[in-house]
C-alpha cells in the first residue's frame, strides 16, 4: 500500500460502515478517510482487507 494513501484494517472497517451502513458514496468516504477512491472501491467489493466488517467510527 502506498504511503500516500495509507489504509489499515481498522480504516477499512470504518469505510465499510460509512458506505454500507450510513449510505455514503465511495467518493465521500474516500475524501473523509483520505484514502484513494480505487482503494475504497476495492474494499467495498471485498478485494482488499479480507475479513473487514462494518465498524462504527
Amino acid at each position: 500500500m502506498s504511503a500516500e494513501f495509507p489504509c489499515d484494517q481498522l480504516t477499512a472497517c470504518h469505510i465499510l460502515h460509512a458506505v454500507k451502513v450510513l449510505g455514503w458514496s465511495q467518493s465521500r468516504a474516500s475524501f473523509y478517510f483520505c484514502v484513494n477512491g480505487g482503494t475504497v472501491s476495492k474494499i467495498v467489493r471485498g478485494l482488499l482487507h479480507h475479513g473487514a466488517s462494518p465498524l462504527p467510527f
Side-chain angles (χ1 to χ4, degrees):
M1 190 71 50
S2 170
E4 185 178 352
F5 299 106
C7 184
D8 56 14
Q9 187 77 8
L10 180 60
T11 303
C13 292
H14 292 328
I15 288 170
L16 283 175
H17 179 78
V19 174
K20 294 192 173 209
V21 177
L22 300 179
W24 287 14
S25 68
Q26 291 184 13
S27 297
R28 181 178 178 187
S30 172
F31 179 78
Y32 184 86
F33 292 103
C34 299
V35 175
N36 181 289
T39 301
V40 172
S41 176
K42 289 178 182 177
I43 291 168
V44 171
R45 291 183 290 146
L47 301 176
L48 282 178
H49 295 288
H50 303 286
S53 59
L55 180 68
F57 50 95

